């Protein structure tokens, strides 16, 4: 089987790794990939958003399936382009991908349909945003750049001055680029965040184990927001009762509303939730697997990925009995010096070739330079381990981290340390 995988991060290396585990003979091509994907397949000199190049390659090479990892090509309409050319591809179309592409659109969608979410509003100019921020002066206050910002477009302002400065930085100074053309301001909700991944073919759905991401740079959830510094799954606080409530109050209403609105969503819907005193509330949607959540979910799934993705594409997910195992998984992100600001690149990485049963290293911001693998991005590696219990998986992951070295590396030492809902 020939598969094209679009993307270059830890999530994409994890997908490539799992596809290779499922089928040792699969032909894997990754665009553009990283040093890790290059070791188990062929990296292409095509960017993830080079839609013309990707379509031209696929028309010529005829992959049996294309799998889209990141959000940018989905929002740019890669699925629409491939389907128009008669090319099989897994992921939601551009209309469905707008759920991630525009936070203002999503907030309006949630509020319009009475789905559980924090009060908020979107703005197209900084003056209107200032006025709303000062009028609704409960702090902390959450400010979100409307468009795609690689997981870093959120500022939690603690004071009116910080809110005003942040509005200026996002909308006028454009610290998040074009993502800051519009701004969402919403009420801060205290509670426990969790990541809910739903496989759906637009008719049926399957909820994967609930995962816990760690967005902040530092221990104790301190420091700047990042794309994610680690994750674990299943979350111990996600009891059967809690999962049933999330399905009833969030997942099923969201999917029913998408159908009502005529949005044909086929793929992975990531629902970022926070558990408040009033119950679950929706923080955001992503239209693909989370990163690093994908790295901890894949070891928990026994059913081959291609079978799942093809069933989603062909709207027969309800006929496929997806099988999970009883393992737990933990992933720890090793980031470059300077991340999440301006990461330092080009540092050689040592310790990648060591073997520790039950653990593996997924590359993210890496590239091959001759015989060496060097850093090439902010989040460099996603060190992942799995075991029959969470404590063992966590210990294995940190044991593997301790064997890896590159100049300026930084990682959190408290991943999977807070396990309760409170």
């Amino acid at each position: 089987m020939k598969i094209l995988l679009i993307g270059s991060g830890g999530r994409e290396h994890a997908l490539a790794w799992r596809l290779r585990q499922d089928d040792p003979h699969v032909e894997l091509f990754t665009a553009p990939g990283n040093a890790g994907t290059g070791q188990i397949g062929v990296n292409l000199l095509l960017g993830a958003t080079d839609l013309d190049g990707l379509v031209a390659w696929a028309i010529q090479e005829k992959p049996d399936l294309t799998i889209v990892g990141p959000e940018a090509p989905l929002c740019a309409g890669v699925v629409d382009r491939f389907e128009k050319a008669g090319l099989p591809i897994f992921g939601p179309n551009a209309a469905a991908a707008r759920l991630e592409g525009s936070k203002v659109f999503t907030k309006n969608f949630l509020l319009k349909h009475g789905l559980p979410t924090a009060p908020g509003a979107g703005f197209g100019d900084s003056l209107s945003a200032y006025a709303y921020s000062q009028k609704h002066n409960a702090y902390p206050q959450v400010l979100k750049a409307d468009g795609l910002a690689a997981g870093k477009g959120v500022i939690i302002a603690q004071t009116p001055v910080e809110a005003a400065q942040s509005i200026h930085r996002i909308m006028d100074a454009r610290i998040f680029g074009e993502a800051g053309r519009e701004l969402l301001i919403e009420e801060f909700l205290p509670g426990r965040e969790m990541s809910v991944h739903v496989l759906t073919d637009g008719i049926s759905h399957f909820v994967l184990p609930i995962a816990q991401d760690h967005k902040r740079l530092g221990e104790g959830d301190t420091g700047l927001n990042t794309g994610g510094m680690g994750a674990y799954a299943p979350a111990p606080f996600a009891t059967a009762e809690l999962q049933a409530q999330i399905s009833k109050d969030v997942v099923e209403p969201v999917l029913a509303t998408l159908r009502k609105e005529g949005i044909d969503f086929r793929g992975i819907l990531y629902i970022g939730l926070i558990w408040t005193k009033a119950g679950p509330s929706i923080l955001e949607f992503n239209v693909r697997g989370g990163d690093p959540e994908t790295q901890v979910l894949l070891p928990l799934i026994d059913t081959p990925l291609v079978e799942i993705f093809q069933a989603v594409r062909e709207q027969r997910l309800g006929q496929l009995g997806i099988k999970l195992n009883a393992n737990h998984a933990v992933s720890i992100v090793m980031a470059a010096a300077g991340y999440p600001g301006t990461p330092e690149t080009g540092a050689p990485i040592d310790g990648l070739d060591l073997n520790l049963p039950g653990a593996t290293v997924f590359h993210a911001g890496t590239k091959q330079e001759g015989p060496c693998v060097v850093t090439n991005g902010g989040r460099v590696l996603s060190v992942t381990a799995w075991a029959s219990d969470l404590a063992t998986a966590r210990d294995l992951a940190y044991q593997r981290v301790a064997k890896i070295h590159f100049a300026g590396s930084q990682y959190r030492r408290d991943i999977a340390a807070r396990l309760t809902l409170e």
Side-chain angles (χ1 to χ4, degrees), residues 71 74-75 92-110 113 115 144-148 184 200 254-255 257-259 261-266 268-272 282-288:
E71 63 275 15
L74 292 169
C75 293
N93 59 29
R98 197 176 178 196
L99 289 169
E100 180 167 2
S102 172
K103 295 179 181 66
V104 172
F105 170 82
T106 293
K107 178 61 65 173
N108 291 337
F109 171 87
L110 294 170
H113 295 286
L115 295 166
K144 296 180 177 180
D146 177 61
L148 301 179
L184 172 66
T200 178
V254 164
L255 296 179
T257 302
L258 290 174
R259 290 191 292 269
E261 288 288 302
I263 298 174
D264 181 15
F265 196 107
R266 303 187 200 186
I268 300 172
L269 180 63
Y270 167 120
I271 307 176
I282 299 170
L283 295 174
E284 64 175 348
F285 291 128
N286 291 338
V287 296
R288 38 69 191 183

